[in-house]
Amino acid sequence: MPRLLSVNVGMPADVSWQGRTVHTGIVKRPVTGPRMVRRLNVDGDGQGDTAGHGGEIRAVLVYQRDSYDYWRRFLGRDDLEYGQFGENFTVDGLPDDEVCVGDRYRVGEAEFEVTQPRVTCFRLGMRLGVPEMPALLVAHGRPGFYLRVITEGHVEAGDEIIRTRTGRHRLTVAAVDALLYLPDRDVDRLRAATDLPALSPGWRASFRDLLQAAESGTADGARAGGWPGFRPLRVTRVVPETPAVTSLYLEAGDDTEAGGDMEAGGDMEAGGDGPLKRPEPGQFLAVRVPGDPAPIRSYSLSAAPSETGYRISVKRESPEGAAAYLHTLKAGATLDAAAPRGDFVLDEHDDAPVVLLSAGIGATPLMAMLHALAAGGSKREIWWVHTTRSPAEHAFAAEAHRLLATLPNAHEKIHYSGAGRLTGEDLAGLGIAERASAYLCGPDLFMSAMREALVSIGLDPHRIHRELFGTLPPINPGVTGTSPVAPHRPEGPAGTGPLVTFLRSGLTVPWDGSYGTVLSLAEACDVPTRWSCRTGVCHTCVTPVVSGSAHHQPAPLEPPAPGSVLVCCARPETDLVLDL
């Protein structure tokens, strides 16, 4: 008969880690006597990072004595005591390869339901002094699992554990964990995992995405495609849109150097000639201009998607820099560009109403979307809403108006901010349908305000999409006390290895092997990063590669999709340009 061996609790505290402070509840210690288990946790217990732990679905974490014995042998440790894996219940029995998601158990006065495997997280490695521990738990099939509290009540060490119900489809904790984190997934199991009512919503959503990718033959990163690295494109036409905005029309070029002497930024994976990739409406080009190192910047494609030519529209903000250089180009010049990429794309299979909402130069990706809608003779209800300072600064005014005139259900709202900012009240008066999908592009504050306004008039937040050309919001679970710092070169002598370019941060630095991983280099440069496990398990840090190559050390449990890397364990092999 399975039995509860130890009840372990601990309140969140600040822990020093690698020069930073982590707010975490990973430290748990055994307690004696009965403890009340409530809907959210055990009395006396708490979670520091409630985004990844805690809540109704993850109220109680369970780990097994057998796994403790296994890790003592594997790690050669005799200092592993109950609670050190962060669990609330240490149990005798209930192995991960027998317990199923949806199983219910009575312990003392309380009843529980198994909801998901434990979330892999760097804090377990921090607690045990074994950084690779999150990967080891998954690779060895010993993750432990979370419980939801069905009936509150007192529990204590020594209580018997009685199963009261078996979960649907009898998918074990170990099987569900492997299904999310390991390769070679079984499609039938994926389908069953999407039909587990007890499974946490986040995991079910992940399995739906994996099932869709498996059934459609696509994978994360499939949008990259195109040619490897950079290739020269020929400028065929230069069109001023406003005094500050110029459009460059580009077609396939040849293998000549782009824009003059590009040797300093030479690409070991030059794309060469061949057909252009037809972009999805909303994607962007990364272009490289002369310099040492050669600056690389991203510009939205602003014309109808085509495999014969592209258009980028560039705003010049100062007399120097990449944009200023692009404004000097004439027809006949060449420009190095990577293949179109980006996930901010119009869903052309959606028949819901659509809102295209932009400010200033933010109109560029939405122009590509508008062209696509017009080319397809869309019958969707469309709201084109654009704000800029004045008519003189209104790029694409006539072009957008002409396209909208061809669409039978289009609405146009132009707002000049010289008379005041576009407000939520302005949007509310447009009669936008609540089931609409919205695409936003412009300054961050503008997009945040407009997203809030759209939600307030009834749009589903999950149907509101934003283009983020700048750095993405960081994901550094539990790390506290940090203030944003502008990305910069790392302190100390410059490295001597390949150049690493953080595209969204506009920073290029030479690699130094002492950093170990690209993630550590990015952190030394204060480039905003996104990670959780730091050992190649969770794929939170997956990052598109614009150019170059890298290898992973240690090897991740599942390799990332082609055209991307896991920066938590990536090391550059050549000059590397990352969409980070």
Side-chain angles (χ1 to χ4, degrees):
M1 175 70 71
R3 190 175 297 275
L4 179 60
L5 298 179
S6 179
V7 178
N8 316 297
V9 300
M11 295 302 292
D14 289 340
V15 176
S16 177
W17 171 77
Q18 294 187 1
R20 286 169 280 188
T21 299
V22 178
H23 189 66
T24 177
I26 188 71
V27 179
K28 313 287 187 191
R29 292 189 172 85
V31 293
T32 58
R35 282 278 165 148
M36 185 69 180
V37 181
R38 306 184 191 276
R39 182 176 60 89
L40 295 181
N41 47 36
V42 183
D43 277 4
D45 189 56
Q47 297 84 24
D49 171 25
T50 54
H53 307 276
E56 286 192 43
I57 299 297
R58 301 179 294 253
V60 176
L61 179 60
V62 177
Y63 211 54
Q64 307 89 350
R65 179 174 69 177
D66 179 63
S67 287
Y68 267 93
D69 292 340
Y70 179 87
W71 294 118
R72 287 177 182 125
R73 294 190 300 271
F74 183 86
L75 299 173
R77 300 272 292 265
D78 59 5
D79 60 340
L80 300 180
E81 299 180 351
Y82 295 158
Q84 277 192 274
F85 279 77
E87 79 277 12
N88 302 110
F89 291 173
T90 315
V91 299
D92 186 13
L94 305 187
D96 291 331
D97 58 0
E98 293 182 13
V99 170
C100 298
V101 172
D103 283 357
R104 290 190 178 186
Y105 294 94
R106 178 165 293 280
V107 185
E109 301 174 349
E111 187 175 13
F112 306 89
E113 182 177 60
V114 179
T115 57
Q116 66 172 72
R118 93 180 285 148
V119 176
T120 56
C121 169
F122 80 102
R123 281 160 290 207
L124 179 61
M126 178 184 73
R127 174 79 167 109
L128 297 178
V130 183
E132 63 272 21
M133 207 67 213
L136 290 174
L137 258 63
V138 176
H140 291 248
R142 295 178 177 273
F145 54 87
Y146 286 106
L147 299 173
R148 177 167 68 98
V149 179
I150 303 297
T151 304
E152 297 181 345
H154 290 90
V155 302
E156 67 177 307
D159 284 342
E160 292 183 346
I161 301 174
I162 303 168
R163 188 169 64 189
T164 59
R165 180 186 296 183
T166 300
R168 182 185 294 181
H169 300 306
R170 298 193 61 81
L171 279 177
T172 68
V173 167
V176 170
D177 197 53
L179 199 60
L180 184 65
Y181 291 125
L182 298 181
D184 303 321
R185 297 176 177 87
D186 181 90
V187 174
D188 290 335
R189 279 193 169 183
L190 278 175
R191 193 172 291 110
T194 66
D195 186 42
L196 291 177
L199 185 63
S200 66
W203 281 58
R204 264 187 289 145
S206 295
F207 287 134
R208 282 195 296 270
D209 291 343
L210 289 168
L211 179 62
Q212 181 179 9
E215 291 180 335
S216 64
T218 62
D220 291 340
R223 281 200 168 107
W227 58 87
F230 287 79
R231 64 178 289 181
L233 301 181
R234 182 178 294 108
V235 179
T236 60
R237 224 172 13 128
V238 178
V239 177
E241 306 287 355
T242 72
V245 177
T246 293
S247 288
L248 303 178
Y249 289 76
L250 307 168
E251 292 183 2
D254 52 33
D255 288 330
T256 59
E257 295 292 341
D261 180 12
M262 295 296 292
E263 184 175 352
D267 194 338
M268 297 181 68
E269 291 187 279
D273 52 16
L276 297 181
K277 175 196 172 185
R278 183 184 181 87
E280 295 184 64
Q283 290 192 308
F284 64 88
L285 284 186
V287 302
R288 185 170 60 190
V289 304
D292 186 13
I296 300 171
R297 299 292 184 265
S298 297
Y299 298 99
S300 293
L301 292 157
S302 58
S306 168
E307 63 278 350
T308 61
Y310 303 141
R311 180 179 76 177
I312 59 173
S313 302
V314 179
K315 182 177 181 180
R316 184 184 59 221
E317 308 255 8
S318 69
E320 298 181 348
Y325 169 78
L326 294 175
H327 272 242
T328 68
L329 296 182
K330 307 295 183 184
T334 54
L335 179 65
D336 262 8
R341 65 189 64 238
D343 295 324
F344 180 70
V345 297
L346 176 70
D347 184 351
E348 297 183 82
H349 302 292
D350 188 0
D351 62 358
V354 60
V355 180
L356 303 177
L357 176 55
S358 60
I361 196 62
T364 50
L366 304 192
M367 283 299 299
M369 296 181 186
L370 184 58
H371 271 284
L373 291 166
S378 178
K379 301 299 191 291
R380 296 167 72 175
E381 195 163 11
I382 299 165
W383 282 268
W384 175 264
V385 185
H386 180 68
T387 179
T388 189
R389 288 192 183 97
S390 67
E393 298 176 71
H394 187 178
F396 316 114
E399 182 180 337
H401 188 73
R402 184 176 65 252
L403 292 170
L404 291 164
T406 69
L407 294 162
N409 298 304
H411 312 270
E412 185 176 15
K413 166 69 174 176
I414 305 301
H415 181 91
Y416 295 119
S417 58
R421 291 185 177 182
L422 183 69
T423 67
E425 290 75 14
D426 295 323
L427 293 185
L430 297 179
I432 295 172
E434 290 185 3
R435 68 186 191 94
S437 296
Y439 297 86
L440 281 58
C441 190
D444 289 345
L445 290 178
F446 166 81
M447 290 194 292
S448 296
M450 293 299 99
R451 182 182 187 278
E452 183 178 332
L454 291 170
V455 170
S456 71
I457 61 177
L459 270 68
D460 181 347
H462 295 98
R463 296 179 69 85
I464 301 174
H465 312 282
R466 297 187 292 176
E467 174 63 298
L468 297 173
F469 270 123
T471 56
L472 298 174
I475 299 176
N476 308 154
V479 175
T480 64
T482 57
S483 300
V485 176
H488 56 84
R489 288 178 173 269
E491 297 180 0
T496 58
L499 295 177
V500 178
T501 297
F502 301 109
L503 182 60
R504 289 178 179 267
S505 299
L507 180 67
T508 297
V509 296
W511 169 251
D512 185 327
S514 65
Y515 289 107
T517 67
V518 172
L519 174 58
S520 294
L521 174 61
E523 290 174 331
C525 298
D526 284 307
V527 170
T529 55
R530 302 160 74 87
W531 48 265
S532 180
C533 73
R534 299 180 72 96
T535 56
V537 180
C538 68
H539 285 221
T540 301
C541 72
V542 66
T543 301
V545 175
V546 176
S547 171
S549 63
H551 69 279
H552 292 99
Q553 185 180 345
L557 297 183
E558 179 181 22
S564 59
V565 294
L566 302 180
V567 295
C568 74
C569 49
R571 302 170 184 228
E573 295 176 321
T574 68
D575 287 355
L576 186 65
V577 181
L578 298 173
D579 186 16
L580 184 67

